[in-house]
Amino acid sequence: MARLAALITILTCATLATAQSFPSKPLRFIAPFPPGGSSDVLCRLLGQKLAEGLGQAVVVENKPGASGNIGHEFAARQAADGYTLLLSNNSALAINPHLFKRLGFDPLSDFAPVAMVASAGQVLVVHPSVQAASVRELIALAKARPGQLHFGSGGKGIPSHIAGETFKTAAAVDIVHVPYKGTVQAVGDLVGGQVQLVFADMVPAMPHIRAGKLRALAVTTAERAAVLPDVPTMDESGLPGFRSVVWWAVLVPRGTPGEIIARLNGDFARIMKLPQVQERYASLGVFTEHSTPQQVTERMKSDLQEFAKILKAAGVEAE
């Protein structure tokens, strides 16, 4: 017993020493999605502010592919020392487990949550050639032309696809799904007229909305977006209860010392209060968020159950 107590004391002291000296070298912040998308933009903004607070460089590394699975698998295999962070979202953590028979990682057992850092709705955008200035008019057009309107998404089963399927059910319309390798690509083809509508992330859609290349019909949050104050919600557009929200959280490899996680959680709490961050988030149509690690875990578990039901109803099966 004496030896066991001594060993526990040694390990505890070593952990505390590691936490107290953290960080002593640059950190890596893994963005598991392509450059230019919402996750990439948020990762770079948060990385910059985190570096300022920690006094160490934070290097953002894009590791896209397989709907985020490649970056997640990479991050899960790194040392659990606090020097590798991952910006994840509910698409990868709560939807991908139902889409892929082999993920390469387990959302609940391979990672330790640090904090929730952002959430955002989507915006329903149409090509200017679509003769609909509102959701009600779009529904009427879709019913008059069943199977002729195409909606793009960032890929099968991701939020932009789920929002489109939810819209089909709620509005009782027949529109055809066209999956892309990312929402940025779907929005690009929408601008080109290859598809007629997309439930898009705010980040890739806003420049085209401002330029008049896309028409925004509604947002999928409970309240109007500050960046699009004149665009109604889906509730206001005649589809009560329609929601499609993406949230982002920072994770670290499972086994990272609790003291380091607590330190990082506090750093992100500070970052969320910075006026520059709040202004930048607002310009992107993104809401600032912060939570305890446990709250992230609870949200993951809840969304895993919810999306399982949605995907089953949509007839989406794991491949």
Side-chain angles (χ1 to χ4, degrees), residues 58-99:
V58 176
V59 180
V60 174
E61 295 184 14
N62 289 94
K63 292 192 177 295
S67 299
N69 292 348
I70 290 175
H72 282 71
E73 183 174 5
F74 174 83
R77 303 296 176 257
Q78 303 309 300
D81 55 8
Y83 289 94
T84 299
L85 287 72
L86 171 72
L87 183 63
S88 186
N89 61 22
N90 57 338
S91 177
L93 297 173
I95 298 177
N96 283 6
H98 304 299
L99 299 181

Side-chain angles (χ1 to χ4, degrees), residues 99-160:
L99 299 181
F100 297 88
K101 292 181 178 179
R102 182 191 177 279
L103 277 180
F105 67 94
D106 186 287
L108 294 172
S109 64
D110 284 340
F111 296 104
V114 174
M116 197 81 73
V117 292
S119 66
Q122 295 167 313
V123 56
L124 170 56
V125 283
V126 297
H127 189 269
S129 65
V130 175
Q131 297 179 345
S134 68
V135 172
R136 287 183 174 88
E137 291 182 4
L138 179 63
I139 292 173
L141 180 64
K143 288 186 175 180
R145 298 170 53 189
Q148 296 181 42
L149 297 184
H150 295 74
F151 77 96
S153 81
K156 187 182 73 171
I158 76 167
S160 54

Side-chain angles (χ1 to χ4, degrees), residues 231-247:
V231 176
T233 65
M234 295 293 281
D235 279 346
E236 295 173 314
S237 302
L239 294 177
F242 189 107
R243 299 285 184 276
S244 181
V245 177
V246 179
W247 53 259

Side-chain angles (χ1 to χ4, degrees), residues 16 90 108-109 118 145 169 195 201-202 208 215 223 226 231 234 254-255 260 268 287 289:
L16 290 173
N90 57 338
L108 294 172
S109 64
R145 298 170 53 189
T169 301
V195 292
D201 294 342
M202 292 286 188
H208 301 297
R215 183 187 306 131
E223 299 178 356
V231 176
M234 295 293 281
R254 178 67 65 182
I260 290 178
F268 284 110
F287 299 98
E289 298 280 356

